[in-house]
Each structure stands twice: as C-alpha cells, then as structure tokens.
Amino acid sequence: MKDRKKHNVFVSWSTFFWCTLLVVFSSIIFTTLTFFPLRYFYHQEVFHPNPVLKWRSSEQKGKNDNSRATMMVKELVMLPDQALILVNYPPSFHFHSKHDLQCVYFNGDASHFTEPPIKVDSNGMNEKIVRCSLHPNVYNISLIIKPNSVISTPNSSIYQWDPLVYEAIFDRDNTTIVFVKGLNLRPEKVDEPSRFQCIYGWDFTKNKFLLKSDVISVAQEIIRCKTPTSILSGKTHTQAHDMKVSIKMEGKGIFPSIARPQYSPPKQKAHKMCVCTMLRNQARFMKEWVMYHTRIGVQRWFIYDNNSEDNIDKVIESLQESGYNISRYLWPWVKTQEAGFSHCALRASATCEWVGFIDVDEFFNVKMKGNLHNVILEYARAGSYVGEIRTPCYSFGPSGLKQVPKEGMMVGYTCRLAARERHKSIVKPEALNQTLINVVHHFHLASPFVTVNVDSGVVMINHYKYQVWEVFKEKFYRRVATYVADWQQEHNVGSKDRVPGLGTKAVEPEDWSKRFCEVRDMRLRNWVLRNFRNRRTHLLPWQPEFENHIRRRRKMRKDKGHL
C-alpha cells in the first residue's frame, strides 16, 4: 500500500501518572534491597562496634556472641592477711585460671605494680573469687586480664573486713539469718534484739528505697530478722539476687554489707548422718577421713573451705567421681568457725536428720556393735527429746614418728594422753536454739530438747591433734575459731586450746616426737588394717600407691581387651 494510515499515539494523564509512580516505587525497592544491608552492616560494625573483650579465647570468639556481657569487680574485701576480690563473671565466658590474671596494686604516688593472685576460685554462682596478697602503702587493688586489659575497682566497692555483713540466708521460717563481723559480742551470750534493726535494699545511702524489719535474736556474730512481707510475697523476688541485707546497730548506723541472701533448699530428709567441717590446707588428709567415716555411717559431707591454697578442690572432685556425696563451700571469712558451723547447720537441716561437727584430724572411734547409726538409735530413741549427742575426745601425739606416716593418721599415730579433752557433738538441726549459738564443740538447744553424753566405752573421738612437727607447725599461722586466740599471741596461755609447754613460737622442741604419749591405744589402728588393707598389696585405699596400683590393673584389663 502506497498510502499508509497515520496513527496518532495518545497517552492519558492518568496512565502517565500511575506509570511514573510505579517506576519511582520500583527504584526505591531496588535501591533498598541493594544497598541497605551493606550500609546497615557498615553502620553497626564500623561506626558503632559491639565491644569485644580482648581476653576472650579464640575458641569462644567463634561461638556465642557475649559482646553484651561484661566482667566487673563487684566487691573487694580487705581481710587481715589478703584481699578478696569478688568478680561478676558472666556464665558464658571462659573461666580464667590464676595464670591468666594478675593482681595490680596502686600506690599513693600514682605508681603501680603487679603479681600473680594466690588463687582463683568459684563460689558456685556467677561470681569468681580472686585472692591477692596484701602490701603496705597500697590504696587500691584490681585485676589485669593478660596481657593488658585492666578491670577497675570503684572505691565504693572496697570494704574493710571489720565491720562487715558478709553472709545471709532466708530461712524456711520466714526469717533471715545475717552473719556480721564487728559486733564484738561475748561468746555464748544473747544480746538485746531491740538495739538492732535489719535493713534490706540495693543502695543503703538512699533511705526511701530501703526495707526495714525487726530483729528476733542476736548472739555472737549472728542476727535473726523477720523477713519483710514484700519479700515473702514475691514482689521483690525478681531482684533478690541483687538485693543486699545489712543491720543497723544502736549508735552505729548501718553496717557496710556484701551479703545477698540465699534461699534455703526445701526439706527432704534423705540422710540419717552427715558431717560438717571447716578446713584450710588439709587436702592430703581428706581421702582417709572421708573413706573411713563413710564406712561407719556418714552419708553426706559439707566441706567449708577457709582459704585453702592446696589442691583441695581437685581432691573433692576425685571423691565425687568415686561416688561420695561431698560438696565444697567457699568460706573465706577469717576467724569465723562458729558462724560457719551455724551456716552449715542451716544448709544441712534440709537433707540430714543428724549432723556431726568434727575436724579433718578427728575420727569417730565406734566401739559398740554397729556404726554411727546404731549409736544414734541407742541414745536418741524415737519419741525422745534428745537433740545432741556429745562424744568425748582423746588427743593423740606424734607416737615416736618424725615423718608423716604413709598409712595415714589412724594407723600411724597410736599413743595418746590419758585424760579426755573436751568433746564433739552430733546434733539434730531442728533442736538448735534460734540464736544458733555454738562454741565449735557444741550448740545451744531449744526447749524441750536435751543433751546426752556418750561413754568412751561406746564411742570416742580419736583427735590426732599433735602430729609430726611438719604437720603441726602449720596450725601456728592462723586459727579459725572466733573466740580462740592464735598460738602466736600472748592470750589465754593456760587454755586447753594451747599446746602444753610450747609457747608462742613455731620452733620444734627436741623431744616433740615423744610428747603426749601416756596410753598406747591400738584399737582403731587394728580395726582399719582388718577392714581396709588390700590383701594382695597391703595398701590402704587412701594411699597414693594404691591409686597407682588400681590404674595399672585397669590398664592391663584394657590392653587384654584389645588382644
């Protein structure tokens, strides 16, 4: 066709508008999808990076992102012989040993120096406890995470040991038990409760945010308070892990406090007989003590570790792996054995019908037929009001030895003093007086409960008090009881807690190995050899050689299994 039709193309304004809007909208979507993720990533990682702590291990950096968590010094307590640093340690972080940390000391002239910590430990919660040596002219102490990350210690977080509220427990009777250093009350005496008041809160400098309650009883280092209704009703329960408790004493104001109350576990009397002890650097004697007492009826162990520097934690872990029901509780507070025993009685009351309070160098020597359960049945029959069974103690000497006996205390030390020295107790926790007063050897009981004394012909305590000098001299450095003077101090020289004729210096007398030997007592030694000694190797199960023998036998069985 020569003639073509000419078609005029016409687009309406409405169509033009919607097409333009579609193009603009598509451009916006395209730009957002293309560039925004990169810009967002760049904004987050470059301009506002999340803090990555340098001391995290390379393994953890590739795992969970802990960038929001922080490690901080919660409190620092200046004990008489060391500094105790309580560190808030997020549970997802890698736990650092003493080799990863340094104690840093700041002097008054703005200089500082560092040294390794004495020990790093865990209290079973989200806190780690770092112990540092003390030095003169130091005004602040903190920590360095190697190589150079400093964790600062605010001055407001530094506490002197005396006075200080240092532990607290919510008891099941709607009271709070508060442990206080610095009350300076007399032993075994009850004070007037109206002179005191319990204070609960998060900041004791702000009065309007504090809860106050009446005091029920006061004795020695322990105050029992009525727990405020708002805490019992659960209104403050969500913040209970941060809340502290303190006491206000007439004429002295509010005591400084680091005590955050713990909740008592529910009752479930699973054990007839348990044992509580407080120790320091006694790891090498632990296995003998636990293995023997388990054999004669002890079912549960509460070990209060008073700043040990040996491998006590490893020994306890080994016993746990072998099936012994034993737990370690860090109790770093100096010269507070009575308070520690009261604390342990509260914890043990949930699971134990009876609790014995003895030291690691003290052994129940049961002479009647049966074990400790039979002793309890004999002296505390069902329906009776017997709340405490007191057992006489007899002190053994070095027995002519000059070196630690390889077979252990019970076999090695066989010579003792003729006269009894004091006693130790097995108590029913429910029978204890609400003040929880004790003098290490026994507790005060509530009415109508009574105490019975056991004859030494039935059961006695073999107290290996005066061992070879290598062991005994360690006792000179520090005593744990509150009202017992250290042997290096010129106090109560005539006390039975003193070593007769030794004085105040840790200098070995020439005749030490022959002292304290009036009666040759072989009974417990012979019983142990009959019931514990391996017939093939003649070794006892707590001897290191016995463990090596077991390892070799297991290896031989394993090798035979592969043949």
Side-chain angles (χ1 to χ4, degrees), residues 50-57 61 66-67 69-71 93 149:
N50 290 324
V52 179
L53 300 179
K54 296 179 180 178
W55 47 270
R56 282 197 298 171
S57 67
K61 289 180 183 179
N66 299 318
S67 59
T70 58
M71 178 180 174
F93 280 11
S149 299

Side-chain angles (χ1 to χ4, degrees), residues 443-542:
F443 281 80
H444 286 200
L445 303 182
S447 177
F449 292 99
V450 297
T451 295
V452 295
N453 294 302
V454 178
D455 186 83
S456 59
V458 176
V459 62
M460 59 181 265
I461 293 281
N462 281 23
H463 184 187
Y464 300 105
K465 182 176 181 179
Y466 309 113
Q467 299 185 43
V468 295
W469 186 257
E470 174 192 337
V471 174
F472 182 81
K473 68 179 181 181
E474 295 179 5
K475 292 187 176 183
F476 259 85
Y477 296 114
R478 190 175 73 190
R479 306 296 295 278
V480 294
T482 308
Y483 300 99
V484 176
D486 290 346
W487 284 325
Q488 299 175 84
Q489 299 175 355
E490 295 283 356
H491 298 300
N492 300 327
V493 177
S495 170
K496 290 184 179 180
D497 292 300
R498 291 282 184 176
V499 183
L502 191 59
T504 59
K505 295 182 179 180
V507 178
E508 180 180 7
E510 292 184 2
D511 63 340
W512 178 260
S513 64
K514 299 177 182 179
R515 289 191 178 188
F516 318 108
C517 187
E518 297 175 351
V519 176
R520 183 68 66 177
D521 189 339
M522 308 283 284
R523 184 196 176 279
L524 188 56
R525 173 189 182 275
N526 295 336
W527 188 91
V528 167
L529 291 176
R530 285 197 307 270
N531 290 275
F532 281 97
R533 185 164 60 177
N534 185 283
R535 294 182 180 180
R536 179 180 298 179
T537 64
H538 300 287
L539 295 172
L540 297 166
W542 45 81

Side-chain angles (χ1 to χ4, degrees), residues 276-489:
C276 278
T277 196
M278 186 175 294
L279 53 77
R280 184 173 185 266
N281 295 338
Q282 300 289 310
R284 56 179 168 174
F285 307 119
M286 179 63 64
K287 286 189 175 181
E288 176 186 6
W289 188 68
V290 170
M291 289 179 176
Y292 167 75
H293 281 101
T294 300
R295 184 70 170 267
I296 64 168
V298 176
Q299 301 160 302
R300 175 79 167 86
W301 303 87
F302 298 87
I303 310 300
Y304 276 54
D305 184 0
N306 191 222
N307 293 329
S308 294
E309 297 171 15
D310 56 7
N311 63 333
I312 183 68
D313 48 340
K314 301 299 182 184
V315 173
I316 290 177
E317 286 176 9
S318 173
L319 287 167
Q320 290 170 338
E321 291 171 358
S322 298
Y324 295 94
N325 193 347
I326 179 171
S327 61
R328 171 174 167 257
Y329 188 89
L330 286 178
W331 187 265
W333 319 118
V334 178
K335 289 187 75 67
T336 57
Q337 187 175 18
E338 294 88 344
F341 277 6
S342 297
H343 190 278
C344 189
L346 288 169
R347 292 178 62 225
S349 65
T351 59
C352 306
E353 292 185 31
W354 293 86
V355 186
F357 292 84
I358 58 175
D359 296 332
V360 178
D361 59 356
E362 296 173 333
F363 292 73
F364 283 106
N365 184 352
V366 181
K367 299 181 180 181
M368 67 176 288
K369 186 177 181 180
N371 57 22
L372 288 172
H373 295 196
N374 299 92
V375 174
I376 293 171
L377 289 173
E378 179 69 22
Y379 285 87
R381 298 183 181 277
S384 70
Y385 287 106
V386 173
E388 181 179 47
I389 301 171
R390 294 184 180 178
T391 306
C393 296
Y394 290 85
S395 296
F396 282 69
S399 306
L401 302 177
K402 295 186 177 182
Q403 295 181 340
V404 178
K406 295 180 180 179
E407 300 87 354
M409 286 182 274
M410 293 180 290
V411 173
Y413 301 117
T414 57
C415 204
R416 62 172 172 84
L417 296 173
R420 59 177 286 179
E421 286 191 348
R422 299 189 184 278
H423 56 264
K424 285 297 176 79
S425 297
I426 304 172
V427 303
K428 182 189 287 289
E430 285 75 16
L432 301 184
N433 187 285
Q434 67 174 3
T435 63
L436 298 177
I437 288 179
N438 72 84
V439 286
V440 178
H441 306 287
H442 62 261
F443 281 80
H444 286 200
L445 303 182
S447 177
F449 292 99
V450 297
T451 295
V452 295
N453 294 302
V454 178
D455 186 83
S456 59
V458 176
V459 62
M460 59 181 265
I461 293 281
N462 281 23
H463 184 187
Y464 300 105
K465 182 176 181 179
Y466 309 113
Q467 299 185 43
V468 295
W469 186 257
E470 174 192 337
V471 174
F472 182 81
K473 68 179 181 181
E474 295 179 5
K475 292 187 176 183
F476 259 85
Y477 296 114
R478 190 175 73 190
R479 306 296 295 278
V480 294
T482 308
Y483 300 99
V484 176
D486 290 346
W487 284 325
Q488 299 175 84
Q489 299 175 355

Side-chain angles (χ1 to χ4, degrees), residues 15 42-43 48 61 75 97 102 111 157 160 167 182 214 246 270 334 348 376 380 411 422 441 488 508:
T15 304
Y42 182 79
H43 175 77
H48 297 282
K61 289 180 183 179
E75 284 111 2
S97 70
Q102 285 281 308
S111 63
S157 300
Q160 298 301 316
E167 293 272 356
D214 294 332
S246 186
V334 178
I376 293 171
V411 173
R422 299 189 184 278
H441 306 287
Q488 299 175 84
E508 180 180 7

Side-chain angles (χ1 to χ4, degrees), residues 108-125:
D109 58 0
S111 63
H112 71 275
F113 62 94
T114 63
E115 66 177 35
I118 298 171
K119 191 171 183 180
V120 179
D121 220 324
S122 172
N123 67 353
M125 294 179 285

